[in-house]
């Protein structure tokens, strides 16, 4: 008899009681009397009459319950050769004073604060300090360019920016301050102040009257208590790529996030309070928000904050060192990290140097997990390897396997079965349900469970139109896939212009906007082509203006630099080729999917609506010139 099935069933059929019962597991200032307010779909509100605080649940609650001397954070930084262990009591003290520092700078509940920091303890401290006083944090990933930061500053209009002087990538120091100054210069909104944490690897110069030194400002700040906040008070805004250059500001509420994340730690990840849990991601991504910071702390775990890479810091044994040194019980990362390790250490020689017998499970997400990577990880580690399907919007997995309830048989290529509250369907373009095994749009019946996004910042209309309008009554995930006869879900590809590069979600539309901005480019297309290491890599095709004086190679070099300068190095935009024309349908739509199949070397059919079939021969030749399909 399955133990998972009745739990999933009651999360849908008996929604109110199910989620109210789970809510008993968190700390409330005022407990809610009901689970959901459904008055204004799709703007559902979870625990509408409760009051709570995410920071209280992450820190104060545990210190009050006697967990003060346990490590909350293990900071492990091979790129700076440092380690630091911080107890729950120490973290509470640091966060309370940082919250006091925010109050002294005039930040109050509801104000936005941008956090622009690498993987250092102060990033976690900043997020929790905001949560403590009800300020809404928006963390911006360090691999983005100044322009992306400017877009976010303008959209969420922060009162304050908390930043570090630099991040460290293998082989180079990324100075954040010049990027921050440039972003503020580009943005129309100007923050009242910036507080800068000086790292010894790069000292930032401070602008008088606007910038403040973190240590000096913090030294004068008083400790402050947690604010009692309404359950649906926004905890954070996290921007993610959509189909255009304007990212979507995903808003997470407070209580829904706490209830759902706390539940997953035991039931999905199978860890107990006190154990060490490691999500090897970045605080700038949703996985970092949920599983480096909030969930492990809500559950009383020790979270590993790793400032390094799977390879090169210093070698492909880096993950095994961290697991053995800190006795990590569960590891969560992206398949691309394992592909990188496998490429450099196919026989697992580095693994043999470490004792990782404490590790019980590996969780993978962020991109489709190819069965080869899954099999390699299973063989090497000898523990369950669990693929689970995620989105920034949902905040935790949509589909997973449930280590703490019942390990369902693993089917390679499938992230297994829906998480509580997700009633998934596969619909065809007419909105009809597909039969088992048939590919269509993956959708979830509304309402989504607690912890999923409640709106888009400044864009409630976009929230409705982008996610809830194509299939009324359903959330459109933007992923295509199928469900098999056993109810296993398979996620195959995005249905929109979003691509996934090394587990990072990027918009080809945004890259096209940058390419089109080049004065010599008449028309362009960007698509995601398969890549053995990163899953996908962007490939650009340019049609140039007839009167262009410059050589093709020069223009290609310039557009590559533009994408790096305007979107950031994380876009990994390096492959671009000039073509005479782009293939289109008779109605003028660029045939990106056909071009992608050509680049990937997969089978494709001549589209019936194509304007001029000969163009595809030209495209095949041009892509071959830059190495596609890959050997
Ligand atoms: N700040 C500044 N630059 C950054 C950055 C950051 N936080 N993160 C990445 N970059 C830069 C890199 O230095 C690189 O620059 P380069 O073009 O000058 O070399 C570029 O962005 C691309 O980075 P990345 O995609 O990380 O590729 P990589 O070749 O450096 O490393 C992997 C490849 C697979 C090792 C790496 O992508 C990885 O560890 N992935 C794990 C995935 C992950 O954490 N996903 C999060 C969701 S779970
Ligand atoms: P992000 O919002 O950055 O977490 O990216 C979400 C997208 O990543 C999803 O819409 C999927 O396209 C992809 N994705 C995440 N996890 C998986 C998975 N386990 N299998 C397939 N695709 C995934």
């Amino acid at each position: 008899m399955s133990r998972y099935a009745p739990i999933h069933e009651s999360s849908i059929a008996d929604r109110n009681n199910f989620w109210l019962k789970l809510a008993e597991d968190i700390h409330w200032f005022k407990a809610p009397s009901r689970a959901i307010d459904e008055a204004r779909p799709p703007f559902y509100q979870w625990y509408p009459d409760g009051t709570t605080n995410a920071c209280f649940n992450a820190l104060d609650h545990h210190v009050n319950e006697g967990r003060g001397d346990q490590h909350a954070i293990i900071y492990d930084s091979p790129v700076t050769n440092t380690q630091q262990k911080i107890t729950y009591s120490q973290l509470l003290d640091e966060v309370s004073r940082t919250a006091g520092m925010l109050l002294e700078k005039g930040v109050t509940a509801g104000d936005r604060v941008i956090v622009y920091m690498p993987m250092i303890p102060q990033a976690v401290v900043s997020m929790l300090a905001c949560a403590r006083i009800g300020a809404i944090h928006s963390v911006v990933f360090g691999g983005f360019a100044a322009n992306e930061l400017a877009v976010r500053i303008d959209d969420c209009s922060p009162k304050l920016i908390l930043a570090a002087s630099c991040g460290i990538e293998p082989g180079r120091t990324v100075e954040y301050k010049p990027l921050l100054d440039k972003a503020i210069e580009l943005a129309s909104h100007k923050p009242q102040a910036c507080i800068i944490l000086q790292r010894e690897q790069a000292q930032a110069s401070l602008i008088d009257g606007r910038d403040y030194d973190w240590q000096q400002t913090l030294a004068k700040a008083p400790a402050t208590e947690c604010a009692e906040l309404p359950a649906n008070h926004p905890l954070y805004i996290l921007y993610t790529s959509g189909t255009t250059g304007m990212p979507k500001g995903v808003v997470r509420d407070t209580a829904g996030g706490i209830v759902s994340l706390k539940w997953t730690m035991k039931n999905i990840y199978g860890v107990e309070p006190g154990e060490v849990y490691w999500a090897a991601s970045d605080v700038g991504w949703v996985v970092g928000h949920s599983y480096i910071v909030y969930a492990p702390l809500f559950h009383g775990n020790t979270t590993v904050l790793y400032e390094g890479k799977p390879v090169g810091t210093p070698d492909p044994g880096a993950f095994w060192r961290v697991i053995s040194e800190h006795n990590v019980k569960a590891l969560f990362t992206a398949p691309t990290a394992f592909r990188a390790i496998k490429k450099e250490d196919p026989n697992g020689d580095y693994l043999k140097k470490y004792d990782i017998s404490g590790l019980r499970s590996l969780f993978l997400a962020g991109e489709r997990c190819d069965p080869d990577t899954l099999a390699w990880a299973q063989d090497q580690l000898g523990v369950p390897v669990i693929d689970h399907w995620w989105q920034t919007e949902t905040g935790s997995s949509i589909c997973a396997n449930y280590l703490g309830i019942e390990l369902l048989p693993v089917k390679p290529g499938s992230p297994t079965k829906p998480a509580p509250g997700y009633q998934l369907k596969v619909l065809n373009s007419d909105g009809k349900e597909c039969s088992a095994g048939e590919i269509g749009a993956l959708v979830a019946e509304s309402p989504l469970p607690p912890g999923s996004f409640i709106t888009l910042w400044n864009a409630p209309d976009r929230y409705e139109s982008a996610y809830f309008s194509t299939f009324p009554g359903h959330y459109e995930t933007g992923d295509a896939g199928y469900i098999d006869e056993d109810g296993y879900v398979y996620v195959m590809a995005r249905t929109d212009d979003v691509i996934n590069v090394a587990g990072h979600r990027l918009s080809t539309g945004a890259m096209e906007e940058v390419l089109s901005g080049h004065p010599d480019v008449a028309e362009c297309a960007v698509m995601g082509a398969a890549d053995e290491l990163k899953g996908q890599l962007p490939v650009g095709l340019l049609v140039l203006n007839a009167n262009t004086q410059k050589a093709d190679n020069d223009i290609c070099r310039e557009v590559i630099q533009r994408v790096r300068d305007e979107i950031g190095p994380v876009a990994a935009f390096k492959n671009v080729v000039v073509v005479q024309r782009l293939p289109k349908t008779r109605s003028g739509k660029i045939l990106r999917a056909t071009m992608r199949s050509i680049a990937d070397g997969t089978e494709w059919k001549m589209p019936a609506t194509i304007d001029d079939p000969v163009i595809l021969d030209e495209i095949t030749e041009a892509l071959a010139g830059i190495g596609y399909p890959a050997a």
Side-chain angles (χ1 to χ4, degrees):
M1 172 66 181
S2 165
R3 281 197 286 155
Y4 151 80
I7 293 176
H8 182 260
E9 216 172 281
S10 71
S11 74
I12 307 283
D14 190 19
R15 183 181 298 131
N16 198 56
N17 287 327
F18 181 89
W19 293 109
L20 214 45
K21 179 94 192 111
L22 256 54
E24 289 172 10
D25 206 27
I26 78 160
H27 173 272
W28 296 93
F29 293 115
K30 178 176 173 287
S33 64
R34 59 199 172 116
I36 187 169
D37 177 349
E38 303 189 55
R40 215 163 58 87
F43 299 92
Y44 299 95
Q45 292 192 23
W46 286 97
Y47 310 112
D49 57 355
T51 62
T52 183
N53 183 293
C55 183
F56 194 98
N57 275 276
L59 300 179
D60 305 61
H61 175 66
H62 298 306
V63 173
N64 294 347
E65 299 284 307
R67 208 174 276 286
D69 293 336
Q70 184 199 308
H71 292 136
I73 296 177
I74 296 176
Y75 167 57
D76 184 309
S77 169
V79 292
T80 59
N81 224 353
T82 47
Q83 283 195 16
Q84 190 189 352
K85 293 182 177 171
I86 305 168
T87 65
Y88 271 91
S89 291
Q90 290 166 336
L91 188 58
L92 175 58
D93 175 61
E94 185 84 7
V95 167
S96 314
R97 289 184 301 111
T98 307
M101 172 172 89
L102 301 183
L103 287 178
E104 295 224 311
K105 283 277 166 261
V107 176
T108 54
D111 285 341
R112 277 77 58 210
V113 173
I114 280 189
V115 177
Y116 187 47
M117 290 206 180
M119 289 285 288
I120 54 176
Q122 287 83 357
V124 182
V125 168
S126 299
M127 294 162 76
L128 292 169
C130 288
R132 194 163 187 83
I133 60 170
I136 304 167
H137 62 71
S138 188
V139 182
V140 178
F141 177 63
F144 285 124
N147 181 56
E148 289 287 322
L149 180 54
V151 167
R152 287 155 174 78
I153 292 174
D154 271 338
D155 195 60
C156 76
S157 52
K159 194 173 252 182
L160 189 72
I161 297 185
L162 301 172
S165 59
C166 67
I168 295 144
E169 283 295 287
R172 73 191 159 105
T173 300
V174 182
E175 291 201 28
Y176 279 24
K177 189 59 182 10
L179 293 168
L180 176 61
D181 289 343
K182 176 84 191 299
I184 295 175
E185 188 189 315
L186 289 170
S188 318
H189 171 85
K190 309 292 174 196
Q192 282 176 18
C194 301
I195 302 181
I196 310 294
L197 179 89
Q198 299 282 15
R199 299 188 81 189
E200 64 184 47
Q201 293 78 11
Q203 290 285 314
S205 54
L206 304 186
I207 296 175
D208 235 12
R210 189 199 73 188
D211 299 341
Y212 299 86
D213 176 83
W214 178 288
Q215 296 300 358
Q216 287 171 10
T217 320
L218 183 64
K220 292 179 245 150
T224 194
E225 292 302 317
C226 283
E228 179 175 343
L229 299 167
N232 58 11
H233 183 78
L235 175 62
Y236 67 77
I237 306 166
L238 179 58
Y239 288 90
T240 189
S241 300
T243 47
T244 67
M246 184 61 220
K248 296 164 165 172
V250 162
V251 180
R252 186 101 45 232
D253 66 348
T254 298
I258 308 173
V259 172
S260 70
L261 290 180
K262 184 152 192 223
W263 183 87
T264 61
M265 290 305 288
K266 166 102 180 82
N267 293 285
I268 294 184
Y269 300 99
V271 289
E272 298 294 340
E275 293 186 324
V276 182
Y277 177 90
W278 179 24
S281 177
D282 188 286
V283 285
W285 306 115
V286 65
V287 171
H289 279 60
S290 292
Y291 288 106
I292 295 174
V293 183
Y294 286 111
L297 297 181
F298 291 153
H299 196 49
N301 290 104
T302 300
T303 184
V304 177
L305 185 68
Y306 175 69
E307 190 180 26
K309 303 264 173 177
V311 293
T313 57
D315 56 42
F319 274 21
W320 322 136
R321 175 192 64 76
V322 173
I323 292 168
S324 75
E325 222 168 285
H326 306 307
N327 196 17
V328 172
K329 297 296 178 199
L331 168 65
F332 177 175
T333 191
T336 191
F338 266 73
R339 289 196 296 269
I341 297 170
K342 179 179 165 214
K343 195 171 163 206
E344 292 199 11
D345 184 22
N347 301 321
D349 293 334
Y350 280 86
L351 183 54
K352 295 183 191 106
K353 297 181 186 177
Y354 298 95
D355 174 9
I356 62 156
S357 55
L359 186 75
R360 290 200 299 261
S361 59
L362 167 66
F363 285 82
L364 297 172
E367 56 176 328
R368 183 173 152 73
C369 180
D370 53 291
D372 280 355
T373 304
L374 186 90
W376 187 80
Q378 278 170 335
D379 282 355
Q380 296 293 323
L381 302 181
V383 297
V385 178
I386 296 173
D387 175 19
H388 54 337
W389 172 40
W390 261 74
Q391 298 187 321
T392 304
E393 289 84 347
T394 60
S396 61
S397 49
I398 308 169
C399 279
N401 209 327
Y402 302 86
L403 213 53
I405 299 174
E406 161 186 32
L407 183 67
L408 299 164
V410 170
K411 291 198 189 186
S414 167
T416 316
K417 294 198 179 184
Y422 282 101
Q423 203 173 1
L424 295 179
K425 292 180 192 164
V426 180
L427 302 183
N428 66 20
S429 51
D430 298 328
K432 299 246 157 52
E433 229 172 310
C434 295
S435 46
E438 195 188 336
I439 292 192
L442 280 162
V443 305
E445 215 169 273
S446 282
L448 295 178
S452 45
F453 67 151
I454 51 168
T455 188
L456 292 178
W457 186 258
N458 270 343
D461 293 348
R462 191 177 182 192
Y463 174 74
E464 280 195 276
S465 64
Y467 297 104
F468 297 96
S469 67
T470 314
F471 304 105
H474 296 83
Y475 165 72
E476 190 181 1
T477 64
D479 282 311
Y482 63 93
I483 302 178
D484 74 7
E485 55 291 340
D486 298 325
Y488 278 63
V489 177
Y490 292 75
V491 184
M492 307 307 288
R494 291 286 304 191
T495 55
D496 55 13
D497 300 329
V498 165
I499 59 171
N500 211 304
V501 180
H504 310 319
R505 175 165 157 183
L506 297 163
S507 160
T508 54
M511 293 184 217
E512 288 178 359
E513 284 175 28
V514 175
L515 304 192
S516 309
H518 190 288
D520 291 308
V521 172
E523 211 179 4
C524 67
V526 175
M527 62 198 182
D531 179 75
E532 211 185 335
L533 175 64
K534 296 196 175 186
Q536 283 186 304
L537 272 181
V539 175
L541 296 109
L542 308 177
V543 178
L544 303 182
N545 290 324
N547 58 358
T548 302
Q549 301 296 316
K550 280 189 189 158
D552 290 2
N553 276 349
D554 289 338
I555 296 173
C556 288
R557 218 173 312 114
E558 285 170 17
V559 297
I560 287 171
Q561 192 59 42
R562 274 182 179 233
V563 174
R564 198 174 169 90
D565 292 344
E566 291 182 36
I567 296 179
V570 72
F573 183 79
K574 293 181 177 151
N575 295 319
V576 61
V577 64
V578 171
V579 295
Q580 292 308 310
R581 13 185 216 162
L582 291 170
K584 291 182 185 165
T585 62
R586 277 179 224 115
S587 59
K589 201 168 167 287
I590 297 174
L591 290 160
R592 288 183 181 75
T594 311
M595 290 196 288
R596 195 173 62 224
S597 301
I598 295 173
D600 290 349
T602 53
E603 225 176 280
W604 55 276
K605 274 202 206 108
M606 181 64 70
T609 54
I610 192 165
D611 186 26
D612 179 358
V614 179
I615 304 179
L616 289 177
D617 295 337
E618 296 169 16
I619 297 291
T620 306
E621 201 180 318
L623 286 170
I626 54 166
Y628 288 99

